[in-house]
Amino acid sequence: MTDDDVRAAVVAERAELVDLLAALPADRWDAPTLCDGWRVREVVAHTTMPFRTSVGRVLMELARARGNVNRMADRTARRDAAALSPSQLLAALRDNVEHRWAPPGGGVRGALSHDVIHGLDITVGLGLDRRVPPERVAMVLTGMSPRNVAFFGTDLSGVQLRATDLDWCHGEGTPVRGLAQDLLLVVCGRRLPSGRLDGPAATRFSRRDP
């Protein structure tokens, strides 16, 4: 798999998200996603921040957050989501489908991970029936190092994640089965709607029904 292959997947993922968001009713931009405390508008503000913000401004925001990347991301996403309309946020994504941004140290695979994961935060959170192409999810999963997995701080002890649509598994222990895209969300610390995972330990990574 070459960087050009991954770059093409980034462009395809963003283009598909543009189409999905363009068809989203206005009120759904205020619906919650799998990112705790973030609506659709905050997620899109976060994913488009690198296109709209200079490196110098990012460093300044990071300094304001005392070096805490997550605090900076939350603060800027909430601020930009309040300042920009859905049409402006959508335009920021549409105009940058081919943007070559990549997270520091992450390269093009990091960019793909960023877009795929946050796209799933939106679609799974809203209950939309979107399947990311399995080969695209495989690029993300195979590109994850132990350090990447550790970054999310998810407790995966005692379980083995097994994809039902890819030849992929992770860990040892009680099986938790599901689509590769859902298991990717588990790795990232998201709690999924009930029924998306299967196995004795599935409820450990699922949300309780209201």
Side-chain angles (χ1 to χ4, degrees):
M1 189 69 62
T2 68
D3 281 357
D4 286 343
D5 294 327
V6 183
R7 175 64 60 190
V10 170
V11 173
E13 180 68 14
R14 290 177 186 164
E16 290 170 23
L17 287 174
V18 165
D19 290 342
L20 183 147
L21 291 168
L24 203 64
D27 63 323
R28 299 292 274 164
W29 281 77
D30 290 318
T33 69
L34 295 188
C35 285
D36 287 339
W38 283 8
R39 301 164 296 174
V40 172
R41 64 173 66 234
E42 277 84 18
V43 176
V44 180
H46 173 68
T47 58
T48 60
M49 178 189 172
F51 313 145
R52 299 180 285 99
T53 311
S54 68
V55 173
R57 181 59 184 270
V58 171
L59 293 175
M60 184 173 67
E61 294 289 352
L62 188 58
R64 287 185 61 208
R66 299 181 181 179
N68 188 309
V69 175
N70 289 331
R71 184 184 298 130
M72 179 199 73
D74 184 64
R75 177 183 294 163
T76 56
R78 292 177 187 275
R79 180 199 64 203
D80 293 352
L84 299 171
S85 67
S87 62
Q88 289 172 312
L89 291 169
L90 179 60
L93 183 58
R94 180 187 291 115
D95 294 345
N96 291 282
V97 164
E98 298 187 13
H99 197 288
R100 299 184 72 83
W101 171 84
V108 66
R109 286 183 183 271
L112 180 62
S113 298
H114 192 254
D115 292 331
V116 168
I117 292 166
H118 287 307
L120 289 169
D121 283 330
I122 293 172
T123 57
V124 176
L126 270 59
L128 302 178
D129 185 23
R130 180 188 182 236
R131 291 279 297 274
V132 179
E135 63 273 14
R136 200 177 298 166
V137 182
M139 292 182 190
V140 176
L141 289 171
T142 57
M144 278 196 165
S145 66
R147 184 182 69 176
N148 298 138
V149 175
F151 171 80
F152 295 106
T154 309
D155 180 11
L156 299 174
S157 59
V159 298
Q160 183 183 66
L161 306 180
R162 294 184 184 175
T164 56
D165 56 339
L166 284 178
D167 182 16
W168 181 87
C169 64
H170 175 84
E172 297 181 357
T174 305
V176 175
R177 293 174 291 272
L179 295 174
Q181 66 181 42
D182 288 338
L183 298 183
L184 172 61
L185 289 171
V186 169
V187 170
C188 297
R190 282 23 173 204
R191 286 192 171 273
L192 275 63
S194 61
R196 296 187 72 96
L197 302 172
D198 184 47
T203 55
R204 178 173 156 186
F205 306 102
S206 302
R207 292 181 170 180
R208 294 183 179 179
D209 291 327

